[in-house]
Amino acid sequence: QVYLVERGGGLVQAGGSLRLSCATSGINFKIYTMHWHRQAPGKQRELVATINSSGNTNYTDVVAGRFTISRDNARSTVYLQMNNLKPEDSAVYYCNCKARGRDVWGRGTQVTVSS
């Protein structure tokens, strides 16, 4: 079975930083494209960042320049470094990939940014 486990969320002040991790199991991680999404209360879940098996990355415009997605294939783990956090970044952050044609999600980790 495929498991994704997010860690690293917490409460920070605006302008602060957090580093999220997503440990995976049950997949051949090195060939997988990985994503980070987030969902705030009352909002749609939105794609935040993507990294493919070659290390190419994409970001939604509102986080570009502040967030960095990376991967460690030896640890089957994807990371999201979040700098200069803003209150509007507050959300539950989810790791995601597609395995056997189905989206797989972690349970999420809460990020709260105070003003």
Side-chain angles (χ1 to χ4, degrees):
Q1 291 186 334
V2 180
Y3 293 100
L4 310 177
V5 180
E6 302 96 339
R7 293 183 173 91
L11 174 64
V12 297
Q13 293 185 336
S17 297
L18 285 172
R19 183 175 177 84
L20 308 183
S21 65
C22 171
T24 74
S25 61
I27 61 172
N28 187 6
F29 178 82
K30 66 180 182 295
I31 68 169
Y32 271 67
T33 294
M34 302 298 301
H35 311 273
W36 285 99
H37 294 74
R38 67 187 183 187
Q39 187 167 26
K43 301 288 187 180
Q44 293 286 111
R45 190 170 296 189
E46 65 173 337
L47 177 64
V48 173
T50 297
I51 185 166
N52 71 9
S53 61
S54 298
N56 297 313
T57 60
N58 288 100
Y59 302 91
T60 191
D61 288 345
V62 295
V63 309
R66 300 187 297 119
F67 290 12
T68 302
I69 187 171
S70 62
R71 64 193 299 148
D72 185 341
N73 288 340
R75 296 182 180 273
S76 297
T77 299
V78 63
Y79 301 93
L80 187 68
Q81 178 67 45
M82 305 184 295
N83 297 327
N84 192 24
L85 283 161
K86 303 175 179 180
E88 51 263 44
D89 296 318
S90 296
V92 178
Y93 282 71
Y94 298 92
C95 183
N96 161 254
C97 66
K98 193 172 184 178
R100 300 179 186 90
R102 295 183 177 183
D103 280 323
V104 180
W105 301 88
R107 292 184 63 187
T109 185
Q110 177 71 53
V111 172
T112 304
V113 184
S114 64
S115 59

